[in-house]
């Protein structure tokens, strides 16, 4: 009987697979790692350790040691986004000076840019003064620097405020510093002029 030739094709080969799995097994159960693989992650896999030493007055507490994993997801940018000319939407760079208000500036400019992109307005500037005054004013009063009542904050929280409350135009509430007791919020154009109504925000991807 004539023997048929056997062709062997190497589909995968690595001399580091088991060493890598051994490393991972030192920090998290491999069963957990397999559950993560079931999600078909497309990104960078990290294992992090967080150490936080609990210290009470004159009494040193135990050290909290937490290990967790995270995935950095790669996002695909649509072709129409890549091809668009975004330069008209950028505008001049704003200087926050000695204030902690970069989150408010970015949020207000996001509203401007998205409404411009959606062709609802043409570069109308919105008030980051309002965001500093009303999103989380209590936080500003707890700062150690008594000369300022501004504060750092997550942009997502500011956008949630815009969705719920709207935001006035810069023309109606320009930036003039951070205050312990800001002036009340008065809508000069309640029909829409200086204010984005929450319903419209929600209907159009929040903005």
């Amino acid at each position: 009987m004539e023997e048929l030739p056997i062709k062997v094709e190497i589909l995968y080969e690595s001399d580091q697979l088991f060493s890598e799995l051994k490393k991972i097994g030192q920090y998290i159960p491999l069963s957990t790692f397999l559950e993560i693989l079931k999600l078909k992650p497309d990104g960078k896999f990290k294992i992090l350790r967080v150490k936080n030493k609990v210290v009470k007055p004159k009494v040193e507490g135990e050290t909290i040691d937490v290990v967790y994993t995270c995935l950095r997801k790669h996002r695909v940018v649509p072709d129409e986004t890549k091809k668009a000319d975004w330069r008209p939407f950028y505008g001049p760079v704003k200087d926050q000076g000695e204030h902690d208000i970069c989150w408010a500036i970015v949020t207000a400019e996001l509203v401007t840019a998205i409404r411009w992109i959606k062709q609802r307005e043409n570069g109308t500037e919105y008030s980051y003064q309002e965001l500093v005054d009303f999103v989380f004013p209590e936080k500003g009063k707890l700062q150690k620097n008594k000369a300022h009542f501004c504060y750092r904050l997550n942009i997502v929280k500011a956008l949630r405020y815009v969705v719920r409350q709207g935001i006035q135009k810069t023309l109606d509430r320009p930036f003039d510093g951070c205050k312990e007791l800001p002036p009340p919020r008065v809508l000069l154009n309640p029909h829409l002029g200086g204010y984005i109504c929450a319903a419209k925000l929600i209907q159009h991807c929040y903005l």
Side-chain angles (χ1 to χ4, degrees):
M1 181 183 292
E2 183 180 353
E3 293 184 2
L4 296 176
I6 297 175
K7 183 178 180 181
V8 178
E9 181 182 358
I10 298 175
L11 300 179
Y12 173 83
E13 184 178 27
S14 172
D15 58 0
Q16 297 190 15
L17 173 62
F18 294 108
S19 61
E20 290 298 317
L21 288 174
K22 194 173 181 180
K23 285 181 186 177
I24 293 171
Q26 290 177 351
Y27 303 113
I28 63 173
L30 290 180
S31 59
T32 302
F33 180 63
L34 291 174
E35 290 297 321
I36 293 172
L37 290 180
K38 288 180 182 178
L39 300 175
K40 299 180 180 179
D42 175 22
K44 189 174 183 179
F45 177 69
K46 288 184 182 178
I47 300 178
L48 303 97
R49 171 179 282 132
V50 178
K51 288 189 175 181
N52 182 20
K53 203 167 190 179
V54 181
V55 179
K56 297 180 181 179
K58 298 183 180 180
V59 179
E60 186 170 324
E62 296 182 355
T63 298
I64 300 174
D65 192 347
V66 180
V67 174
Y68 68 97
T69 63
C70 72
L71 294 170
R72 187 177 66 188
K73 183 73 174 175
H74 296 298
R75 297 190 178 184
V76 178
V77 179
D79 289 338
E80 57 268 23
T81 302
K82 293 180 182 179
K83 295 175 182 177
D85 183 3
W86 300 106
R87 287 174 295 180
F89 307 112
Y90 286 153
V93 176
K94 293 183 173 61
D95 184 2
Q96 69 173 351
E98 298 179 353
H99 298 282
D100 285 327
I101 59 170
C102 55
W103 59 272
I105 294 174
V106 171
T107 302
E109 292 193 337
L110 278 173
V111 175
T112 297
I114 293 175
R115 287 182 66 81
W116 194 348
I117 290 168
K118 291 180 178 292
Q119 299 181 349
R120 293 190 177 86
E121 291 174 323
N122 188 2
T124 301
E125 293 193 4
Y126 286 91
S127 172
Y128 48 91
Q129 177 75 62
E130 174 175 354
L131 301 177
V132 175
D133 287 346
F134 299 115
V135 174
F136 199 169
E138 297 83 3
K139 190 172 182 181
K141 295 174 185 177
L142 297 175
Q143 302 303 306
K144 294 180 180 179
N145 186 352
K146 299 298 182 181
H148 287 274
F149 295 95
C150 49
Y151 47 93
R152 299 176 184 177
L153 198 67
N154 190 307
I155 294 173
V156 173
K157 292 184 179 179
L159 287 172
R160 286 174 180 163
Y161 170 89
V162 176
V163 170
R164 293 192 306 267
Q165 305 293 337
I167 182 171
Q168 296 180 84
K169 294 179 180 178
T170 299
L171 184 65
D172 295 331
R173 197 178 185 95
F175 184 74
D176 61 354
C178 56
K179 308 174 185 65
E180 182 177 10
L181 298 172
R185 186 174 192 255
V186 179
L187 299 180
L188 301 179
N189 300 296
H191 58 285
L192 185 61
Y195 182 77
I196 304 175
C197 91
K200 289 187 178 293
L201 288 170
I202 294 171
Q203 288 173 3
H204 301 291
C205 300
Y206 295 108
L207 296 170

